[in-house]
Amino acid sequence: MAKVLVVTSGKGGVGKTTSTAALGAALAQQGKNVVVVDFDVGLRNLDLVMGAERRVVYDLINVVQGDAKLAQALIRDKRIDNLCLLPASQTRDKDALTEDGVARVMEELKEKFDWIICDSPAGIERGAQLAMRHADVAVVVTNPEVSSVRDSDRIIGMLDSKTLKAERGERMEKHLLLTRYDPLRAERGDMLKVDDVLEILSIPLLGIIPESQEVLRASNIGQPVTVSNISSAPARAYIDAAKRLQGETLVVTIPADRRAGLFGKLFGRRAA
Amino acid sequence: MNILSLFLKRNTAPVARERLQILLAHERAVVGGSDLVAVLREEILAVIAKHMQIDPGAVRVKMDRNQSLSTLEVEVDIPAPSGARPGDKPAETAAEDETPKAKVA
Ligand SMILES: Nc1ncnc2c1ncn2[C@@H]1O[C@H](COP(=O)(O)OP(=O)(O)OP(=O)(O)O)[C@@H](O)[C@H]1O
Ligand SMILES: [Mg+2]
């Protein structure tokens, strides 16, 4: 059965698009049929992070409005056969996304794919609500920092009230993905601890993605980090998170890049 | 800054944690309604799950707000006592009959 997953956060710039690309690629690398859908109308970026920006012809709004068929708008990844992108429009107004239109596209995607991963725009307005509307599962992307945690709390409230699942009285499956985590700063006591964030938000932990220059490198060359450097710390964290999404139970560790040296390794082990 | 304050300089993360806890408790109460009920359900579930294995659907939370009386109804199905063997029919029925219900006015 197809699963619709929304990657959301409330706060901007916390790593939603990075995580959508990395989780989507990781699930595809694990053999699933995956589509990543960009809901960030007007500010699309998922195409860039996936390295498909020059292959966009039609977009989500064209499909929603019936100007293009779904098959015309889907862009197949060059490296991973079972991974597709449905880009957002860069020029159109975000009001062009209608609720009925999105519902139709989602139904069609569910017939074709195992995982439909929706990259939410920042904020709590209409765009973010449309992105979460059809979700079965939510990944709440949070940085260990006060304003991000507060916004995540807001978004969790919306997931529990504004989604179709919530309106049917069902329980929305929610996971916390802690990103841009800096073990050095955590050790010094100047960054919220993992346990603090978990206690405050009280949703289960999907993974901890360390702050890493590999993420920037990956976006520079237009590849999800699980493709650009599969053995890097963030890639390993995303790969494990993708396995957990499929029901595997793995102990959460904080992977460190090799160059982080002895300290990173020691800490990684202690945090395991 | 004197020498003493250098030594006494506290880590900032605990302050962040405290501020968030106070702020969010307030914001959740203001939002109220379905949001609050969902948050309560999740947290009650998390607390119980620390001590026993229960189904995520086993916690039901209802809130009624009235002028004179407001109630919060929490209903939790817990598994049969660990002494009972699975498939031990009578014990299971008994456990179901004694499903604890908490009512807080
Ligand atoms: N683990 C990480 N380590 C280092 N940099 C990161 C990490 N995760 C994300 N970044 C960087 O943070 C920036 C924002 O990331 P991203 O675009 O994924 O966030 P977003 O939540 O999608 O933003 P928006 O709300 O604007 O859509 C990017 O420059 C990205 O490269
Ligand atoms: Mg984004």
Side-chain angles (χ1 to χ4, degrees), chain A residues 145-146 149-150 153-154 157-158 160-161 171-172 174 188-193 196 199-203, chain B residues 10-14 16-17 19-21 23-24 27-28 31 34-35 38-39 41-43 45-46 56:
Chain A
E145 169 265 323
V146 283
V149 174
R150 178 199 212 172
D153 193 70
R154 265 309 271 295
M158 291 180 60
D160 284 330
S161 60
R171 180 173 165 275
M172 167 71 75
K174 301 176 292 289
R188 280 202 304 263
D190 284 333
M191 194 174 63
L192 280 166
K193 292 220 162 58
D196 292 346
E199 189 195 329
I200 290 165
L201 295 178
S202 60
I203 60 173
Chain B
R10 284 175 61 200
N11 293 330
T12 54
R17 175 171 174 267
R19 289 176 59 218
L20 269 171
Q21 279 173 330
L23 174 71
L24 293 182
E27 285 185 348
R28 284 168 189 164
V31 173
S34 58
D35 281 342
V39 169
R41 169 155 42 77
E42 295 284 336
E43 291 191 2
L45 184 64

Side-chain angles (χ1 to χ4, degrees), chain A residues 12-18 20 38 40 43-46 119-122:
Chain A
V14 294
K16 291 180 293 296
T17 302
T18 303
T20 301
D38 194 346
D40 205 346
L43 285 172
R44 76 167 180 229
N45 273 324
L46 192 53
D119 183 16
S120 174

